Amino acid sequence: MEQESKFGRRDFIRVAATAAAAGAAWAAAHPSSGTTVWQLDPAKCLQCGRCSTTCVLNPSAVKCVHSFEICGYCDLCGGYLQPGAKARDSGAENELCPVGALKRTFVEEPFYQYTIDEELCVGCGKCVKGCAVFGNGSLYLQVKHDVCVGCNECSIARNCPANAFQRVPVRNSYLLKTRENGGKGHK
Amino acid sequence: MKLKLLAAVFLLLGLWTVQAATEFRFPMPEFESGYKHPAMSIPPASKTSPWVDLGLLAGALALSAWSVLRLRSRRYVFLIALVSLAYFGFYRKGCVCAVGSMQNILSAFFDPGYAVPLIVSAFFLIPLLFALYFGRVFCAAVCPLGAIQEMFAIFPVQLSSAVEAVLGLFAYAYLGLSVLAVYMGAGFLICRYDPFVGFFRQGASFNMFLAGGVLLLAGVFIARPYCRFLCPYGVLLRWASRFSKWHATITPAECIQCRLCETSCPYGAIVVPTPEDRPVDQRTGARRMGRLFLAAPFIIVIAAGAGYLSHEPLARLHPTVWLAERVAGEEQGRYEEKTIDGDAFRAGKRAATELYAEAHALKERFKYASACFGAFMGLVLCGKLIRLSIVRSNKDYVVDRGACLSCARCFAYCPVEKSHAAK
């Protein structure tokens, strides 16, 4: 028993390693920094379509969202209709969305409300491009946090040609386009 | 004067807000029907509190250590592994993970602007501390990557120690490469090439499923191939476990040298007693050791040189270097098709020369970093050779604390265990 109570070389190494590992972990940590999650900056987004193809999930955790407060409620919606569509109606041949996730409902003459069926949306950004080119840019892409699994290295971020992905605090996890920020997605 | 200034500021502010409001091409209509737009659905993140993850990690580690060291029960270890696989694997989708957290810690050291939350630090630290005191109980039952392979280790065969030693070097190479990638800002390789996370998420690319499937199927015979021959965090745990204060022992009391446990370990972690008559003369061994020490500097320098020479392909791990080569290639017409990346770059404001300069600077840094990586591999090789040349004399069947994954298989093979339990 006396042998065991002695503080040997192995004990020293163990204590030193404990101290080193704990020190390293402590030095690396920012106790003030909370959990962060991935989000994409709509101001940088180029609508290249990679969000729908490079996410580890299928369908992607990136979905189109719609900022109603900056929407123009146009009848001729660049996000909803194919360029050069024959009619402004919900015929499949006229719709831009490849999965029919963008729904249009009549509000009053001549205005229509556009909503996204997130179950269907694959985050391809076709409508986003259409809305950005022709409209107010009220349709844009966001990482939906009820779907996102929060990878340590976001696969879309790695493949994003615009470097639009960044980590944001979990409490404020969307970069929303509002009337106040002029549709920029951040202040 | 002050008032005038204030008035001017307010006027400017007012003008600015008007400007902002009229920025939209199509103004928001004023509805006559009293229409109110619906609210946006912006579900919050984080379904699970990180403290729950941390508590479960610590709890599972403590239970695992208890099952291995006190209960000496493979059944309990297996049960904890099942629960860990279900929670950390399939429920949390493999993405709160000690193996990957190593890269976040490294990032914080290489880039002071990188913020690592305390939880991530704790995920890195706690399994290491447990290894320092109880052995690799994390690998035994808590790591979901280990657990999924443990389920597949049905007909394990024993590898020869030479094969094991050579394959074991790959884990060091993977560790070195992932440190290199984090140092150079080229991303997290461990996460990118995690072979089993695709099963946890039930979705991945074909190649990822293929790699994971091959590893799992190989793991039916060669138990836990990822843990033994690839896992970079396992290398750290291996180092920590060598100095563990309490470690699982094959027999609960005295070894009777019955040899029954000899074939029980699928991980090659059982060290057989040294034969009485040593095969090699002590002086021959000492001379070999001396030669090894003399050769070590040369091996390291040669390995560093090999690392230096491979800096070109290694540099392509970095997205900027890759993009620069792609853009240059597209400019020279080397590629048939243009990529989104190239188009996006040309659409941006940056000049191509600026990108090339940045890539060039990165490549220069890669030369040095790749040489360091090579030197590290040389050092590992020398360390391995030296370890193999040291003859340790032990009378009994003991565990190799570094290689032992504390899976608790061997306990049942020991006849002393049964008589001990009967008492």
Side-chain angles (χ1 to χ4, degrees), chain B residues 92-141:
Chain B
R92 298 291 281 125
K93 310 246 188 277
C95 243
V96 50
C97 155
V99 181
S101 70
M102 195 172 79
Q103 302 164 111
N104 300 64
I105 301 291
L106 283 169
S107 291
F109 279 103
F110 296 142
D111 170 15
Y114 189 90
V116 176
L118 209 54
I119 295 280
V120 176
S121 256
F123 254 82
F124 167 75
L125 179 67
I126 294 174
L128 273 179
L129 292 189
F130 267 84
L132 271 170
Y133 287 86
F134 308 107
R136 294 170 71 174
V137 288
F138 175 74
C139 306

Short mmCIF file of all heavy atoms in Angstrom, two decimals, chain B residues 92-141:
data_model
loop_
_atom_site.label_atom_id
_atom_site.label_comp_id
_atom_site.label_asym_id
_atom_site.label_seq_id
_atom_site.Cartn_x
_atom_site.Cartn_y
_atom_site.Cartn_z
N ARG B 92 -29.66 13.14 -31.86
CA ARG B 92 -28.93 14.39 -32.06
C ARG B 92 -28.24 14.42 -33.42
O ARG B 92 -27.48 15.33 -33.72
CB ARG B 92 -27.92 14.60 -30.93
CG ARG B 92 -28.54 14.73 -29.57
CD ARG B 92 -29.32 16.04 -29.43
NE ARG B 92 -28.42 17.15 -29.19
CZ ARG B 92 -28.39 18.24 -29.94
NH1 ARG B 92 -29.17 18.36 -30.97
NH2 ARG B 92 -27.57 19.21 -29.64
N LYS B 93 -28.43 13.39 -34.20
CA LYS B 93 -27.90 13.29 -35.56
C LYS B 93 -26.38 13.44 -35.63
O LYS B 93 -25.84 14.01 -36.57
CB LYS B 93 -28.55 14.34 -36.48
CG LYS B 93 -30.07 14.34 -36.39
CD LYS B 93 -30.69 13.90 -37.69
CE LYS B 93 -32.19 14.08 -37.71
NZ LYS B 93 -32.91 12.99 -37.08
N GLY B 94 -25.73 12.97 -34.60
CA GLY B 94 -24.25 12.91 -34.61
C GLY B 94 -23.57 14.25 -34.56
O GLY B 94 -22.35 14.33 -34.68
N CYS B 95 -24.32 15.33 -34.36
CA CYS B 95 -23.63 16.62 -34.45
C CYS B 95 -23.57 17.39 -33.15
O CYS B 95 -23.76 18.60 -33.11
CB CYS B 95 -24.18 17.47 -35.58
SG CYS B 95 -22.89 17.77 -36.80
N VAL B 96 -23.33 16.66 -32.07
CA VAL B 96 -22.72 17.28 -30.91
C VAL B 96 -21.76 16.19 -30.47
O VAL B 96 -22.16 15.13 -30.03
CB VAL B 96 -23.75 17.68 -29.83
CG1 VAL B 96 -24.68 16.57 -29.49
CG2 VAL B 96 -23.04 18.19 -28.60
N CYS B 97 -20.49 16.44 -30.74
CA CYS B 97 -19.61 15.29 -30.87
C CYS B 97 -18.22 15.66 -30.38
O CYS B 97 -17.67 16.69 -30.78
CB CYS B 97 -19.62 14.88 -32.34
SG CYS B 97 -18.22 14.02 -32.94
N ALA B 98 -17.68 14.83 -29.51
CA ALA B 98 -16.36 15.10 -28.94
C ALA B 98 -15.27 14.99 -30.01
O ALA B 98 -14.29 15.72 -29.98
CB ALA B 98 -16.07 14.13 -27.80
N VAL B 99 -15.47 14.07 -30.96
CA VAL B 99 -14.45 13.84 -31.98
C VAL B 99 -14.24 15.11 -32.81
O VAL B 99 -13.12 15.55 -33.06
CB VAL B 99 -14.84 12.65 -32.89
CG1 VAL B 99 -13.79 12.38 -33.93
CG2 VAL B 99 -15.09 11.41 -32.05
N GLY B 100 -15.36 15.72 -33.20
CA GLY B 100 -15.26 16.92 -34.02
C GLY B 100 -14.88 18.16 -33.23
O GLY B 100 -14.30 19.10 -33.76
N SER B 101 -15.21 18.17 -31.93
CA SER B 101 -14.97 19.37 -31.12
C SER B 101 -13.49 19.75 -31.07
O SER B 101 -13.15 20.91 -30.85
CB SER B 101 -15.49 19.16 -29.70
OG SER B 101 -14.67 18.24 -29.02
N MET B 102 -12.64 18.75 -31.28
CA MET B 102 -11.20 19.00 -31.31
C MET B 102 -10.85 20.12 -32.29
O MET B 102 -10.00 20.96 -32.03
CB MET B 102 -10.53 17.71 -31.76
CG MET B 102 -9.08 17.63 -31.54
SD MET B 102 -8.56 15.97 -31.92
CE MET B 102 -8.49 16.06 -33.68
N GLN B 103 -11.55 20.13 -33.42
CA GLN B 103 -11.26 21.13 -34.46
C GLN B 103 -11.68 22.52 -34.03
O GLN B 103 -11.03 23.51 -34.36
CB GLN B 103 -11.98 20.76 -35.75
CG GLN B 103 -11.59 19.39 -36.24
CD GLN B 103 -12.57 18.87 -37.27
OE1 GLN B 103 -12.23 18.74 -38.42
NE2 GLN B 103 -13.77 18.59 -36.86
N ASN B 104 -12.78 22.60 -33.25
CA ASN B 104 -13.21 23.91 -32.76
C ASN B 104 -12.18 24.46 -31.78
O ASN B 104 -11.87 25.65 -31.81
CB ASN B 104 -14.56 23.79 -32.06
CG ASN B 104 -15.63 23.27 -32.99
OD1 ASN B 104 -15.55 22.13 -33.45
ND2 ASN B 104 -16.61 24.08 -33.29
N ILE B 105 -11.66 23.58 -30.92
CA ILE B 105 -10.65 24.01 -29.95
C ILE B 105 -9.42 24.51 -30.69
O ILE B 105 -8.87 25.58 -30.39
CB ILE B 105 -10.28 22.84 -29.02
CG1 ILE B 105 -11.51 22.32 -28.27
CG2 ILE B 105 -9.17 23.22 -28.05
CD1 ILE B 105 -12.07 23.25 -27.24
N LEU B 106 -8.99 23.73 -31.70
CA LEU B 106 -7.81 24.13 -32.48
C LEU B 106 -8.06 25.46 -33.19
O LEU B 106 -7.19 26.33 -33.21
CB LEU B 106 -7.48 23.06 -33.51
CG LEU B 106 -6.77 21.82 -32.99
CD1 LEU B 106 -6.75 20.75 -34.07
CD2 LEU B 106 -5.35 22.14 -32.56
N SER B 107 -9.26 25.62 -33.74
CA SER B 107 -9.60 26.87 -34.43
C SER B 107 -9.44 28.06 -33.50
O SER B 107 -8.94 29.11 -33.90
CB SER B 107 -11.05 26.84 -34.92
OG SER B 107 -11.19 25.93 -35.94
N ALA B 108 -9.86 27.88 -32.25
CA ALA B 108 -9.77 28.98 -31.29
C ALA B 108 -8.31 29.37 -31.05
O ALA B 108 -8.01 30.54 -30.82
CB ALA B 108 -10.43 28.59 -29.98
N PHE B 109 -7.40 28.38 -31.13
CA PHE B 109 -5.99 28.70 -30.91
C PHE B 109 -5.36 29.37 -32.13
O PHE B 109 -4.54 30.27 -32.01
CB PHE B 109 -5.21 27.44 -30.56
CG PHE B 109 -5.35 27.08 -29.11
CD1 PHE B 109 -6.18 26.07 -28.71
CD2 PHE B 109 -4.68 27.82 -28.14
CE1 PHE B 109 -6.34 25.77 -27.37
CE2 PHE B 109 -4.83 27.53 -26.80
CZ PHE B 109 -5.66 26.50 -26.42
N PHE B 110 -5.76 28.91 -33.31
CA PHE B 110 -5.14 29.44 -34.52
C PHE B 110 -5.76 30.77 -34.93
O PHE B 110 -5.14 31.58 -35.59
CB PHE B 110 -5.25 28.44 -35.67
CG PHE B 110 -4.50 27.16 -35.41
CD1 PHE B 110 -5.01 25.94 -35.81
CD2 PHE B 110 -3.28 27.19 -34.76
CE1 PHE B 110 -4.32 24.76 -35.56
CE2 PHE B 110 -2.58 26.02 -34.51
CZ PHE B 110 -3.10 24.81 -34.91
N ASP B 111 -7.04 30.96 -34.60
CA ASP B 111 -7.74 32.18 -35.00
C ASP B 111 -8.42 32.78 -33.77
O ASP B 111 -9.45 32.28 -33.33
CB ASP B 111 -8.77 31.82 -36.08
CG ASP B 111 -9.71 32.98 -36.39
OD1 ASP B 111 -9.38 34.13 -36.00
OD2 ASP B 111 -10.74 32.75 -37.02
N PRO B 112 -7.82 33.81 -33.18
CA PRO B 112 -8.36 34.36 -31.93
C PRO B 112 -9.79 34.88 -32.06
O PRO B 112 -10.50 35.02 -31.07
CB PRO B 112 -7.40 35.51 -31.59
CG PRO B 112 -6.18 35.24 -32.40
CD PRO B 112 -6.62 34.50 -33.62
N GLY B 113 -10.22 35.16 -33.28
CA GLY B 113 -11.57 35.66 -33.47
C GLY B 113 -12.63 34.56 -33.42
O GLY B 113 -13.82 34.85 -33.40
N TYR B 114 -12.19 33.31 -33.42
CA TYR B 114 -13.13 32.19 -33.45
C TYR B 114 -13.66 31.92 -32.04
O TYR B 114 -12.88 31.66 -31.13
CB TYR B 114 -12.42 30.96 -34.00
CG TYR B 114 -13.32 29.79 -34.29
CD1 TYR B 114 -13.91 29.65 -35.54
CD2 TYR B 114 -13.60 28.84 -33.32
CE1 TYR B 114 -14.74 28.58 -35.81
CE2 TYR B 114 -14.44 27.77 -33.57
CZ TYR B 114 -15.00 27.66 -34.83
OH TYR B 114 -15.82 26.60 -35.09
N ALA B 115 -14.96 32.00 -31.87
CA ALA B 115 -15.54 31.86 -30.54
C ALA B 115 -16.01 30.42 -30.31
O ALA B 115 -16.79 29.89 -31.08
CB ALA B 115 -16.71 32.81 -30.38
N VAL B 116 -15.47 29.80 -29.27
CA VAL B 116 -15.89 28.45 -28.91
C VAL B 116 -16.72 28.53 -27.64
O VAL B 116 -16.23 28.98 -26.62
CB VAL B 116 -14.67 27.53 -28.68
CG1 VAL B 116 -15.11 26.16 -28.22
CG2 VAL B 116 -13.84 27.43 -29.94
N PRO B 117 -17.97 28.11 -27.69
CA PRO B 117 -18.76 28.13 -26.46
C PRO B 117 -18.21 27.14 -25.43
O PRO B 117 -17.53 26.17 -25.80
CB PRO B 117 -20.16 27.70 -26.91
CG PRO B 117 -20.15 27.84 -28.39
CD PRO B 117 -18.75 27.66 -28.83
N LEU B 118 -18.51 27.41 -24.18
CA LEU B 118 -18.01 26.59 -23.09
C LEU B 118 -18.42 25.12 -23.25
O LEU B 118 -17.64 24.21 -22.96
CB LEU B 118 -18.58 27.14 -21.78
CG LEU B 118 -17.74 26.92 -20.53
CD1 LEU B 118 -16.33 27.45 -20.73
CD2 LEU B 118 -18.39 27.63 -19.35
N ILE B 119 -19.62 24.90 -23.77
CA ILE B 119 -20.14 23.54 -23.93
C ILE B 119 -19.25 22.73 -24.87
O ILE B 119 -18.93 21.57 -24.60
CB ILE B 119 -21.57 23.60 -24.52
CG1 ILE B 119 -22.53 24.26 -23.53
CG2 ILE B 119 -22.06 22.23 -24.92
CD1 ILE B 119 -23.00 23.39 -22.42
N VAL B 120 -18.83 23.35 -25.95
CA VAL B 120 -18.00 22.63 -26.94
C VAL B 120 -16.67 22.27 -26.31
O VAL B 120 -16.15 21.16 -26.48
CB VAL B 120 -17.81 23.50 -28.20
CG1 VAL B 120 -16.89 22.83 -29.18
CG2 VAL B 120 -19.15 23.78 -28.85
N SER B 121 -16.11 23.22 -25.54
CA SER B 121 -14.87 22.96 -24.82
C SER B 121 -15.04 21.77 -23.88
O SER B 121 -14.17 20.91 -23.79
CB SER B 121 -14.50 24.18 -23.99
OG SER B 121 -13.45 24.86 -24.59
N ALA B 122 -16.17 21.76 -23.18
CA ALA B 122 -16.42 20.68 -22.22
C ALA B 122 -16.55 19.34 -22.95
O ALA B 122 -16.06 18.32 -22.47
CB ALA B 122 -17.69 20.97 -21.44
N PHE B 123 -17.17 19.35 -24.12
CA PHE B 123 -17.30 18.11 -24.89
C PHE B 123 -15.95 17.57 -25.32
O PHE B 123 -15.75 16.37 -25.42
CB PHE B 123 -18.19 18.33 -26.13
CG PHE B 123 -19.54 17.72 -25.98
CD1 PHE B 123 -20.52 18.39 -25.28
CD2 PHE B 123 -19.82 16.47 -26.49
CE1 PHE B 123 -21.77 17.82 -25.10
CE2 PHE B 123 -21.06 15.89 -26.32
CZ PHE B 123 -22.03 16.56 -25.62
N PHE B 124 -15.02 18.47 -25.57
CA PHE B 124 -13.67 18.04 -25.92
C PHE B 124 -12.95 17.50 -24.69
O PHE B 124 -12.26 16.48 -24.74
CB PHE B 124 -12.91 19.23 -26.51
CG PHE B 124 -11.43 19.01 -26.64
CD1 PHE B 124 -10.92 18.20 -27.64
CD2 PHE B 124 -10.54 19.60 -25.76
CE1 PHE B 124 -9.57 17.99 -27.75
CE2 PHE B 124 -9.19 19.39 -25.88
CZ PHE B 124 -8.69 18.58 -26.87
N LEU B 125 -13.13 18.19 -23.58
CA LEU B 125 -12.29 17.94 -22.40
C LEU B 125 -12.73 16.70 -21.61
O LEU B 125 -11.88 15.88 -21.22
CB LEU B 125 -12.35 19.18 -21.50
CG LEU B 125 -11.56 19.10 -20.20
CD1 LEU B 125 -10.08 19.04 -20.50
CD2 LEU B 125 -11.86 20.31 -19.33
N ILE B 126 -14.04 16.56 -21.38
CA ILE B 126 -14.51 15.55 -20.42
C ILE B 126 -14.10 14.12 -20.80
O ILE B 126 -13.57 13.40 -19.96
CB ILE B 126 -16.03 15.71 -20.18
CG1 ILE B 126 -16.29 17.05 -19.48
CG2 ILE B 126 -16.57 14.57 -19.34
CD1 ILE B 126 -17.74 17.39 -19.33
N PRO B 127 -14.28 13.70 -22.07
CA PRO B 127 -13.84 12.34 -22.40
C PRO B 127 -12.34 12.14 -22.21
O PRO B 127 -11.90 11.06 -21.79
CB PRO B 127 -14.22 12.20 -23.88
CG PRO B 127 -15.31 13.16 -24.08
CD PRO B 127 -15.00 14.32 -23.19
N LEU B 128 -11.55 13.19 -22.45
CA LEU B 128 -10.11 13.08 -22.25
C LEU B 128 -9.79 12.89 -20.77
O LEU B 128 -8.94 12.07 -20.41
CB LEU B 128 -9.41 14.34 -22.76
CG LEU B 128 -9.04 14.37 -24.22
CD1 LEU B 128 -8.38 15.70 -24.56
CD2 LEU B 128 -8.10 13.24 -24.58
N LEU B 129 -10.47 13.66 -19.92
CA LEU B 129 -10.22 13.52 -18.48
C LEU B 129 -10.63 12.13 -18.00
O LEU B 129 -9.92 11.51 -17.20
CB LEU B 129 -10.99 14.60 -17.70
CG LEU B 129 -10.52 16.03 -17.90
CD1 LEU B 129 -11.22 16.96 -16.92
CD2 LEU B 129 -9.02 16.14 -17.74
N PHE B 130 -11.76 11.63 -18.50
CA PHE B 130 -12.17 10.27 -18.12
C PHE B 130 -11.12 9.26 -18.56
O PHE B 130 -10.83 8.31 -17.85
CB PHE B 130 -13.54 9.94 -18.72
CG PHE B 130 -14.68 10.23 -17.79
CD1 PHE B 130 -15.20 11.50 -17.69
CD2 PHE B 130 -15.21 9.23 -16.97
CE1 PHE B 130 -16.24 11.79 -16.82
CE2 PHE B 130 -16.25 9.51 -16.09
CZ PHE B 130 -16.77 10.79 -16.02
N ALA B 131 -10.53 9.48 -19.77
CA ALA B 131 -9.50 8.55 -20.24
C ALA B 131 -8.28 8.61 -19.34
O ALA B 131 -7.62 7.60 -19.10
CB ALA B 131 -9.14 8.88 -21.68
N LEU B 132 -7.97 9.80 -18.84
CA LEU B 132 -6.80 9.94 -17.97
C LEU B 132 -6.99 9.22 -16.64
O LEU B 132 -6.03 8.88 -15.97
CB LEU B 132 -6.53 11.43 -17.70
CG LEU B 132 -5.64 12.14 -18.70
CD1 LEU B 132 -5.66 13.63 -18.46
CD2 LEU B 132 -4.21 11.62 -18.60
N TYR B 133 -8.24 9.04 -16.23
CA TYR B 133 -8.48 8.39 -14.94
C TYR B 133 -9.03 6.98 -15.06
O TYR B 133 -8.72 6.12 -14.25
CB TYR B 133 -9.37 9.28 -14.06
CG TYR B 133 -8.58 10.45 -13.55
CD1 TYR B 133 -8.46 11.61 -14.30
CD2 TYR B 133 -7.86 10.35 -12.36
CE1 TYR B 133 -7.67 12.66 -13.86
CE2 TYR B 133 -7.07 11.40 -11.92
CZ TYR B 133 -6.98 12.55 -12.68
OH TYR B 133 -6.17 13.57 -12.25
N PHE B 134 -9.86 6.71 -16.11
CA PHE B 134 -10.51 5.40 -16.17
C PHE B 134 -10.24 4.64 -17.46
O PHE B 134 -10.83 3.59 -17.68
CB PHE B 134 -12.03 5.56 -16.02
CG PHE B 134 -12.44 6.36 -14.81
CD1 PHE B 134 -12.91 7.65 -14.95
CD2 PHE B 134 -12.32 5.82 -13.54
CE1 PHE B 134 -13.28 8.39 -13.83
CE2 PHE B 134 -12.68 6.55 -12.43
CZ PHE B 134 -13.16 7.85 -12.57
N GLY B 135 -9.41 5.14 -18.35
CA GLY B 135 -9.21 4.49 -19.64
C GLY B 135 -10.23 4.97 -20.65
O GLY B 135 -10.99 5.90 -20.39
N ARG B 136 -10.27 4.29 -21.81
CA ARG B 136 -11.10 4.81 -22.91
C ARG B 136 -12.57 4.40 -22.75
O ARG B 136 -13.15 3.76 -23.63
CB ARG B 136 -10.54 4.31 -24.23
CG ARG B 136 -9.16 4.89 -24.51
CD ARG B 136 -8.49 4.23 -25.68
NE ARG B 136 -9.09 4.59 -26.95
CZ ARG B 136 -8.59 4.23 -28.13
NH1 ARG B 136 -7.49 3.52 -28.19
NH2 ARG B 136 -9.18 4.59 -29.24
N VAL B 137 -13.17 4.81 -21.63
CA VAL B 137 -14.58 4.46 -21.42
C VAL B 137 -15.48 5.23 -22.38
O VAL B 137 -16.62 4.83 -22.63
CB VAL B 137 -15.01 4.70 -19.96
CG1 VAL B 137 -14.39 3.66 -19.05
CG2 VAL B 137 -14.65 6.09 -19.50
N PHE B 138 -14.96 6.34 -22.94
CA PHE B 138 -15.73 7.07 -23.95
C PHE B 138 -15.90 6.19 -25.19
O PHE B 138 -17.00 6.06 -25.72
CB PHE B 138 -15.02 8.38 -24.30
CG PHE B 138 -15.66 9.14 -25.41
CD1 PHE B 138 -16.85 9.82 -25.21
CD2 PHE B 138 -15.08 9.19 -26.68
CE1 PHE B 138 -17.45 10.52 -26.24
CE2 PHE B 138 -15.67 9.90 -27.70
CZ PHE B 138 -16.86 10.57 -27.48
N CYS B 139 -14.79 5.59 -25.64
CA CYS B 139 -14.86 4.73 -26.82
C CYS B 139 -15.75 3.51 -26.54
O CYS B 139 -16.45 3.02 -27.43
CB CYS B 139 -13.46 4.23 -27.19
SG CYS B 139 -12.27 5.54 -27.39
N ALA B 140 -15.69 3.01 -25.31
CA ALA B 140 -16.40 1.78 -24.97
C ALA B 140 -17.89 1.92 -25.21
O ALA B 140 -18.51 1.05 -25.84
CB ALA B 140 -16.14 1.42 -23.51
N ALA B 141 -18.50 3.00 -24.74
CA ALA B 141 -19.96 3.02 -24.75
C ALA B 141 -20.58 4.37 -25.05
O ALA B 141 -21.80 4.45 -25.17
CB ALA B 141 -20.47 2.53 -23.40
#
